[in-house]
Amino acid sequence: MSQVPQPSENDLAEQLRITELYKAIEATVSGPAQVPQSPGGTQIPARAQPKVTEVSPASGAAGTEVTISGTDLATASKVFFGTQHEKPTVVGPTSLTVPVPSGIPVGKGDTTVRIAVLTELGTAIAPKAFTVQ
């Protein structure tokens, strides 16, 4: 029987940081966007926010190439699969490709994680969880 490795203190701190990030994103109030204005009354254009619309495939083992589709993804620098991350190998404005990182603990069954894409414009969370096999 193999043992599941115990996370280090740094791993736990990173997981807490990501959990807090997810909470902050989920707490964002949706509604009509307000256009900021300069002191002179001129409208300041709002920055586009990245958005993930689809992840394909929806499951895979470490090393599996995953395509993430959405908007404003061109500046993606990291993709988190739960607490583990990888750098995208191909990046474009509406899609990116990234391998499933190693190091995600998988016990006797599959592990479900959230995917978060970090860009210069903000963080986009995938609408559905990803299953690591």
Side-chain angles (χ1 to χ4, degrees), residues 8-86:
S8 70
E9 190 171 308
N10 288 339
D11 292 337
L12 295 173
E14 180 70 5
Q15 185 174 2
L16 178 60
R17 187 185 71 74
I18 293 169
T19 300
E20 292 303 316
L21 173 67
Y22 287 151
K23 287 179 183 177
I25 291 168
E26 289 174 358
T28 302
V29 178
S30 61
Q34 295 191 356
V35 178
Q37 300 207 357
S38 69
T42 306
Q43 289 187 351
I44 300 170
R47 292 181 69 174
Q49 291 295 310
K51 182 176 183 179
V52 172
T53 55
E54 184 179 2
V55 174
S56 180
S59 64
T64 301
E65 290 290 321
V66 175
T67 299
I68 298 173
S69 302
T71 58
D72 298 304
L73 302 174
T75 61
S77 58
K78 288 182 183 178
V79 177
F80 279 87
F81 288 73
T83 60
Q84 302 296 316
H85 63 84
E86 278 288 346

Side-chain angles (χ1 to χ4, degrees), residues 57-125:
S59 64
T64 301
E65 290 290 321
V66 175
T67 299
I68 298 173
S69 302
T71 58
D72 298 304
L73 302 174
T75 61
S77 58
K78 288 182 183 178
V79 177
F80 279 87
F81 288 73
T83 60
Q84 302 296 316
H85 63 84
E86 278 288 346
K87 183 175 180 177
T89 55
V90 178
V91 179
T94 60
S95 69
L96 60 89
T97 303
V98 62
V100 175
S102 60
I104 299 171
V106 178
K108 291 183 179 181
D110 297 335
T111 299
T112 302
V113 296
R114 296 299 292 194
I115 292 179
V117 178
L118 277 60
T119 76
E120 291 178 6
L121 301 173
T123 303
I125 306 295

